[in-house]
Protein backbone atom coordinates (compact mmCIF):
# COMPACT_ATOMS: atom_id res chain seq x y z
CA UNK A 1 0.00 0.00 0.00
CA UNK A 2 1.39 3.41 -0.98
CA UNK A 3 2.53 5.72 1.76
CA UNK A 4 0.40 8.85 2.21
CA UNK A 5 1.75 11.96 0.51
CA UNK A 6 2.69 14.64 3.02
CA UNK A 7 1.01 17.94 2.17
CA UNK A 8 1.72 21.37 3.48
CA UNK A 9 -0.75 24.25 3.29
CA UNK A 10 0.40 27.75 2.36
CA UNK A 11 -2.23 30.18 3.61
CA UNK A 12 -4.30 30.83 6.71
CA UNK A 13 -7.23 32.94 5.49
CA UNK A 14 -10.93 32.20 5.11
CA UNK A 15 -10.58 29.93 2.07
CA UNK A 16 -7.72 28.00 3.66
CA UNK A 17 -9.85 27.41 6.75
CA UNK A 18 -13.18 26.47 5.15
CA UNK A 19 -11.91 24.49 2.15
CA UNK A 20 -8.23 23.57 1.97
CA UNK A 21 -7.58 22.49 5.53
CA UNK A 22 -10.73 20.30 5.80
CA UNK A 23 -9.98 18.71 2.42
CA UNK A 24 -6.36 18.00 3.28
CA UNK A 25 -7.43 16.44 6.57
CA UNK A 26 -10.02 14.14 4.96
CA UNK A 27 -8.58 12.94 1.64
CA UNK A 28 -7.42 9.33 1.31
CA UNK A 29 -3.72 9.09 0.57
CA UNK A 30 -3.00 12.55 1.98
CA UNK A 31 -1.25 13.33 5.24
CA UNK A 32 -1.89 16.93 6.27
CA UNK A 33 1.50 17.67 7.80
CA UNK A 34 2.35 21.37 7.87
CA UNK A 35 1.17 24.96 7.61
CA UNK A 36 3.02 28.09 6.54
CA UNK A 37 1.54 31.57 6.53
CA UNK A 38 2.62 35.17 6.34
CA UNK A 39 0.79 35.64 9.65
CA UNK A 40 2.67 33.30 11.97
CA UNK A 41 0.07 33.53 14.74
CA UNK A 42 -2.71 32.55 12.35
CA UNK A 43 -0.54 29.72 11.00
CA UNK A 44 0.03 28.41 14.52
CA UNK A 45 -3.69 28.55 15.30
CA UNK A 46 -4.69 26.74 12.11
CA UNK A 47 -2.00 24.11 12.62
CA UNK A 48 -3.17 23.54 16.18
CA UNK A 49 -6.74 22.97 14.97
CA UNK A 50 -5.50 20.02 12.89
CA UNK A 51 -2.64 18.90 15.14
CA UNK A 52 -0.02 19.58 12.48
CA UNK A 53 3.15 21.67 12.58
CA UNK A 54 3.36 25.38 11.76
CA UNK A 55 6.67 26.45 10.24
CA UNK A 56 7.79 30.09 10.31
CA UNK A 57 10.58 29.29 7.84
CA UNK A 58 9.62 28.38 4.26
CA UNK A 59 12.70 26.20 3.71
CA UNK A 60 11.90 24.12 6.80
CA UNK A 61 8.25 23.92 5.72
CA UNK A 62 9.21 22.60 2.27
CA UNK A 63 11.60 20.12 3.83
CA UNK A 64 8.73 18.56 5.80
CA UNK A 65 6.36 17.86 2.88
CA UNK A 66 6.08 16.17 -0.51
CA UNK A 67 3.45 18.52 -1.95
CA UNK A 68 2.00 21.94 -1.28
CA UNK A 69 -1.55 23.27 -1.46
CA UNK A 70 -1.89 27.03 -1.89
CA UNK A 71 -4.64 29.29 -0.53
CA UNK A 72 -3.05 32.72 -0.88
CA UNK A 73 -3.35 35.69 -3.29
CA UNK A 74 -2.02 34.97 -6.80
CA UNK A 75 1.11 37.11 -6.50
CA UNK A 76 2.08 35.36 -3.27
CA UNK A 77 1.18 31.96 -4.72
CA UNK A 78 3.31 32.36 -7.85
CA UNK A 79 6.50 33.25 -5.99
CA UNK A 80 6.03 30.56 -3.34
CA UNK A 81 5.05 27.91 -5.89
CA UNK A 82 8.19 28.53 -7.96
CA UNK A 83 10.19 27.90 -4.81
CA UNK A 84 8.18 24.78 -3.99
CA UNK A 85 8.49 23.37 -7.51
CA UNK A 86 12.22 24.04 -7.53
CA UNK A 87 12.42 22.01 -4.33
CA UNK A 88 10.64 19.11 -6.07
CA UNK A 89 7.27 19.55 -4.39
CA UNK A 90 4.03 18.79 -6.23
CA UNK A 91 1.56 21.66 -6.53
CA UNK A 92 -2.14 22.16 -5.85
CA UNK A 93 -2.71 25.69 -7.09
CA UNK A 94 -5.56 28.17 -6.94
CA UNK A 95 -6.69 30.22 -9.91
CA UNK A 96 -5.45 32.54 -11.20
CA UNK A 97 -2.06 30.88 -10.95
CA UNK A 98 -0.32 34.28 -10.92
CA UNK A 99 -1.12 37.98 -11.06
CA UNK A 100 0.68 38.53 -14.39
CA UNK A 101 1.54 36.52 -17.47
CA UNK A 102 5.32 36.67 -16.95
CA UNK A 103 4.86 35.25 -13.44
CA UNK A 104 2.59 32.48 -14.77
CA UNK A 105 5.14 31.62 -17.45
CA UNK A 106 7.91 31.45 -14.84
CA UNK A 107 5.85 29.12 -12.65
CA UNK A 108 5.02 26.83 -15.57
CA UNK A 109 8.71 26.63 -16.49
CA UNK A 110 9.71 25.88 -12.90
CA UNK A 111 7.20 23.03 -12.65
CA UNK A 112 8.28 21.59 -16.02
CA UNK A 113 11.97 21.84 -15.19
CA UNK A 114 11.45 20.09 -11.85
CA UNK A 115 9.14 17.43 -13.29
CA UNK A 116 6.55 17.95 -10.54
CA UNK A 117 2.85 17.25 -10.88
CA UNK A 118 0.38 20.11 -10.70
CA UNK A 119 -3.37 20.69 -10.52
CA UNK A 120 -5.07 24.08 -10.70
CA UNK A 121 -8.30 24.10 -8.70
CA UNK A 122 -10.89 25.41 -11.14
CA UNK A 123 -13.67 24.47 -8.73
CA UNK A 124 -16.39 23.48 -11.21
CA UNK A 125 -14.01 21.30 -13.22
CA UNK A 126 -13.78 18.98 -10.20
CA UNK A 127 -17.50 18.60 -9.56
CA UNK A 128 -19.10 15.31 -10.62
CA UNK A 129 -22.24 16.92 -12.04
CA UNK A 130 -20.28 19.42 -14.14
CA UNK A 131 -17.98 16.68 -15.42
CA UNK A 132 -21.00 14.62 -16.45
CA UNK A 133 -22.36 17.66 -18.33
CA UNK A 134 -19.01 18.23 -20.07
CA UNK A 135 -18.95 14.58 -21.16
CA UNK A 136 -22.51 14.82 -22.48
CA UNK A 137 -21.99 18.02 -24.48
CA UNK A 138 -18.72 16.69 -25.89
CA UNK A 139 -20.69 13.78 -27.40
CA UNK A 140 -23.49 16.05 -28.65
CA UNK A 141 -21.29 18.63 -30.40
CA UNK A 142 -20.01 20.34 -32.35
CA UNK A 143 -21.26 23.54 -30.72
CA UNK A 144 -21.34 26.92 -32.43
CA UNK A 145 -20.87 29.05 -29.32
CA UNK A 146 -21.62 29.65 -25.72
CA UNK A 147 -21.95 32.16 -22.93
CA UNK A 148 -20.94 32.43 -19.29
CA UNK A 149 -22.12 35.05 -16.80
CA UNK A 150 -20.97 35.17 -13.19
CA UNK A 151 -22.44 37.96 -11.11
CA UNK A 152 -20.52 37.54 -7.86
CA UNK A 153 -20.97 39.48 -4.63
CA UNK A 154 -17.53 38.92 -3.07
CA UNK A 155 -16.81 42.64 -3.12
CA UNK A 156 -19.86 43.52 -1.07
CA UNK A 157 -19.08 44.86 2.44
CA UNK A 158 -18.96 42.08 5.01
CA UNK A 159 -18.11 39.29 2.58
CA UNK A 160 -15.22 37.13 3.84
CA UNK A 161 -13.98 37.07 0.24
CA UNK A 162 -13.72 40.87 0.05
CA UNK A 163 -9.93 40.72 0.18
CA UNK A 164 -7.32 43.20 -1.07
CA UNK A 165 -6.31 41.16 -4.11
CA UNK A 166 -9.94 40.84 -5.26
CA UNK A 167 -10.48 44.55 -4.73
CA UNK A 168 -7.44 45.19 -6.91
CA UNK A 169 -8.04 42.58 -9.62
CA UNK A 170 -11.84 42.40 -9.64
CA UNK A 171 -14.11 39.80 -11.14
CA UNK A 172 -12.03 39.42 -14.29
CA UNK A 173 -9.20 37.73 -12.41
CA UNK A 174 -11.28 36.07 -9.69
CA UNK A 175 -14.24 34.72 -11.67
CA UNK A 176 -13.08 34.97 -15.28
CA UNK A 177 -10.78 31.92 -15.03
CA UNK A 178 -13.70 29.73 -13.90
CA UNK A 179 -15.81 30.77 -16.88
CA UNK A 180 -13.00 30.31 -19.41
CA UNK A 181 -12.10 26.91 -17.94
CA UNK A 182 -15.62 25.60 -18.64
CA UNK A 183 -15.97 26.95 -22.18
CA UNK A 184 -12.46 25.88 -23.26
CA UNK A 185 -12.79 22.04 -23.18
CA UNK A 186 -15.96 22.06 -25.31
CA UNK A 187 -15.46 24.95 -27.73
CA UNK A 188 -11.68 24.59 -28.01
CA UNK A 189 -8.66 26.58 -26.87
CA UNK A 190 -9.11 30.35 -26.84
CA UNK A 191 -7.09 31.98 -29.62
CA UNK A 192 -8.14 35.62 -29.17
CA UNK A 193 -10.10 37.79 -26.74
CA UNK A 194 -11.77 41.18 -26.98
CA UNK A 195 -12.55 42.93 -23.69
CA UNK A 196 -14.79 45.81 -22.68
CA UNK A 197 -15.63 47.35 -19.34
CA UNK A 198 -18.78 48.40 -17.56
CA UNK A 199 -19.10 50.17 -14.24
CA UNK A 200 -16.69 49.32 -11.42
CA UNK A 201 -15.22 45.85 -12.14
CA UNK A 202 -17.92 44.68 -14.58
CA UNK A 203 -16.11 43.07 -17.54
CA UNK A 204 -17.34 41.67 -20.84
CA UNK A 205 -15.24 39.32 -23.00
CA UNK A 206 -15.70 37.95 -26.51
CA UNK A 207 -13.65 34.78 -26.96
CA UNK A 208 -12.60 33.23 -30.27
CA UNK A 209 -11.91 29.51 -30.04
CA UNK A 210 -9.73 27.26 -32.16
CA UNK A 211 -12.03 25.82 -34.82
CA UNK A 212 -14.18 28.93 -35.24
CA UNK A 213 -16.61 28.90 -32.32
CA UNK A 214 -17.13 32.10 -30.34
CA UNK A 215 -18.36 32.72 -26.82
CA UNK A 216 -19.02 35.57 -24.41
CA UNK A 217 -18.14 36.00 -20.74
CA UNK A 218 -19.52 38.60 -18.32
CA UNK A 219 -18.14 38.81 -14.78
CA UNK A 220 -18.22 41.08 -11.77
CA UNK A 221 -17.43 40.69 -8.12
CA UNK A 222 -19.55 43.65 -7.09
CA UNK A 223 -23.09 42.47 -7.83
CA UNK A 224 -25.76 42.71 -5.10
CA UNK A 225 -26.23 39.50 -3.16
CA UNK A 226 -29.73 39.17 -4.62
CA UNK A 227 -28.24 38.97 -8.13
CA UNK A 228 -25.42 36.55 -7.25
CA UNK A 229 -25.21 33.55 -9.55
CA UNK A 230 -23.30 31.74 -12.29
CA UNK A 231 -24.74 30.60 -15.63
CA UNK A 232 -22.99 28.77 -18.48
CA UNK A 233 -24.65 27.51 -21.65
CA UNK A 234 -23.80 26.30 -25.14
CA UNK A 235 -25.73 26.45 -28.39
CA UNK A 236 -25.53 24.59 -31.68
CA UNK A 237 -27.24 22.02 -33.89
CA UNK A 238 -28.06 19.95 -30.81
CA UNK A 239 -29.95 22.89 -29.34
CA UNK A 240 -29.01 24.67 -26.15
CA UNK A 241 -27.44 23.11 -23.06
CA UNK A 242 -26.91 24.73 -19.65
CA UNK A 243 -24.24 23.62 -17.18
CA UNK A 244 -25.15 22.73 -13.60
CA UNK A 245 -23.52 25.72 -11.91
CA UNK A 246 -25.26 26.01 -8.56
CA UNK A 247 -22.74 26.50 -5.78
CA UNK A 248 -21.78 23.12 -4.35
CA UNK A 249 -19.49 21.41 -1.86
CA UNK A 250 -16.04 22.94 -2.40
CA UNK A 251 -14.40 20.56 0.08
CA UNK A 252 -15.61 17.54 -1.90
CA UNK A 253 -14.32 19.13 -5.13
CA UNK A 254 -10.96 19.77 -3.48
CA UNK A 255 -10.77 16.14 -2.36
CA UNK A 256 -11.20 15.15 -6.00
CA UNK A 257 -8.45 17.56 -7.05
CA UNK A 258 -6.11 16.24 -4.36
CA UNK A 259 -6.77 12.63 -5.34
CA UNK A 260 -6.05 13.40 -8.98
CA UNK A 261 -2.86 15.25 -8.07
CA UNK A 262 -1.72 12.11 -6.23
CA UNK A 263 -2.49 10.02 -9.31
CA UNK A 264 -0.67 12.45 -11.60
CA UNK A 265 2.38 12.50 -9.33
CA UNK A 266 2.56 8.71 -9.35
CA UNK A 267 1.89 8.22 -13.07
CA UNK A 268 3.87 11.16 -14.39
CA UNK A 269 0.94 12.07 -16.66
CA UNK A 270 -0.03 15.74 -16.93
CA UNK A 271 -3.44 16.62 -15.54
CA UNK A 272 -5.89 18.37 -17.92
CA UNK A 273 -6.10 21.18 -15.35
CA UNK A 274 -2.36 21.30 -14.70
CA UNK A 275 -0.15 24.36 -14.61
CA UNK A 276 0.08 24.67 -18.40
CA UNK A 277 -3.71 24.94 -18.64
CA UNK A 278 -3.72 27.39 -15.74
CA UNK A 279 -1.09 29.46 -17.53
CA UNK A 280 -3.07 29.42 -20.79
CA UNK A 281 -6.29 30.49 -19.08
CA UNK A 282 -4.26 33.21 -17.39
CA UNK A 283 -3.09 34.39 -20.83
CA UNK A 284 -6.71 35.07 -21.78
CA UNK A 285 -7.23 37.08 -18.60
CA UNK A 286 -3.98 39.00 -19.00
CA UNK A 287 -4.77 39.85 -22.63
CA UNK A 288 -8.17 41.16 -21.55
CA UNK A 289 -6.59 43.20 -18.75
CA UNK A 290 -4.20 44.86 -21.21
CA UNK A 291 -7.17 45.96 -23.30
CA UNK A 292 -9.11 47.21 -20.27
CA UNK A 293 -6.12 49.21 -19.10
CA UNK A 294 -6.23 51.10 -22.40
CA UNK A 295 -9.91 52.03 -22.00
CA UNK A 296 -11.39 55.01 -20.15
CA UNK A 297 -13.23 53.61 -17.13
CA UNK A 298 -16.85 54.56 -16.55
CA UNK A 299 -17.64 56.23 -13.23
CA UNK A 300 -18.78 54.03 -10.35
CA UNK A 301 -22.13 54.35 -8.69
Amino acid sequence: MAQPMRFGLVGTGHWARIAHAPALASTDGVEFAAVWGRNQLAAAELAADYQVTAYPDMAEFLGAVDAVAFAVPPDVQAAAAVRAASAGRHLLLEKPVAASQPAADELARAAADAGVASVVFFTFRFRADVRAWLDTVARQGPWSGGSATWLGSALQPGSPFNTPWRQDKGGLWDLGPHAVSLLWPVLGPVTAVTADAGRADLTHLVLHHDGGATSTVTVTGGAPEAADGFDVWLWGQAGRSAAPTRYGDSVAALRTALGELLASARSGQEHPCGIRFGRDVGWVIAQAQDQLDALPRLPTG
Side-chain angles (χ1 to χ4, degrees), residues 171-172 193-207 216-220 284-285 287-298:
L172 173 63
V193 57
T194 301
D196 201 357
R199 295 183 185 276
D201 77 323
L202 181 65
T203 304
H204 306 284
L205 308 178
V206 177
L207 306 179
T216 62
V217 172
T218 295
V219 289
T220 178
V284 177
I285 303 304
Q287 290 288 308
Q289 185 67 62
D290 287 346
Q291 295 176 36
L292 296 179
D293 289 343
L295 294 174
R297 295 294 287 183
L298 294 175

Side-chain angles (χ1 to χ4, degrees), residues 38-263:
R38 293 169 292 169
N39 183 327
Q40 293 185 17
L41 177 59
E45 291 174 348
L46 180 56
D49 288 343
Y50 289 89
Q51 298 181 332
V52 303
T53 303
Y55 289 88
D57 180 76
M58 175 63 78
E60 292 183 6
F61 166 82
L62 292 174
V65 301
D66 307 304
V68 181
F70 293 88
V72 286
D75 57 336
V76 179
Q77 171 175 262
V82 166
R83 188 171 177 182
S86 299
R89 304 308 182 246
H90 305 296
L91 309 172
L92 179 69
L93 300 158
E94 280 290 340
K95 55 79 229 162
V97 297
S100 70
Q101 194 58 33
D105 291 340
E106 180 185 6
L107 176 51
R109 284 193 300 268
D113 291 346
V116 298
S118 61
V119 166
V120 182
F121 185 54
F122 295 99
T123 310
F124 288 90
R125 291 290 299 270
F126 293 91
R127 278 180 35 179
D129 56 346
V130 176
R131 286 183 165 183
W133 175 77
L134 287 171
D135 288 343
T136 297
V137 296
R139 293 193 300 270
Q140 292 174 335
W143 299 90
S144 299
S147 182
T149 299
W150 194 331
L151 306 179
S153 57
L155 297 181
Q156 290 296 324
S159 169
F161 295 104
N162 189 358
T163 54
W165 85 264
R166 289 186 175 89
Q167 295 166 14
D168 179 46
K169 292 293 191 179
L172 173 63
W173 289 81
D174 184 24
L175 306 178
H178 287 298
V180 174
S181 78
L182 289 177
L183 295 167
W184 188 297
V186 183
L187 299 179
V190 177
T191 58
V193 57
T194 301
D196 201 357
R199 295 183 185 276
D201 77 323
L202 181 65
T203 304
H204 306 284
L205 308 178
V206 177
L207 306 179
H208 289 259
H209 298 264
D210 186 30
T214 55
S215 64
T216 62
V217 172
T218 295
V219 289
T220 178
E225 289 187 14
D228 193 303
F230 185 28
D231 298 294
V232 178
W233 55 269
L234 303 169
W235 68 274
Q237 289 296 324
R240 177 171 169 153
S241 181
T245 51
R246 289 182 180 274
Y247 301 144
D249 185 348
S250 296
V251 174
L254 260 172
R255 288 194 199 102
T256 298
L258 285 164
E260 293 179 3
L261 178 61
L262 295 178

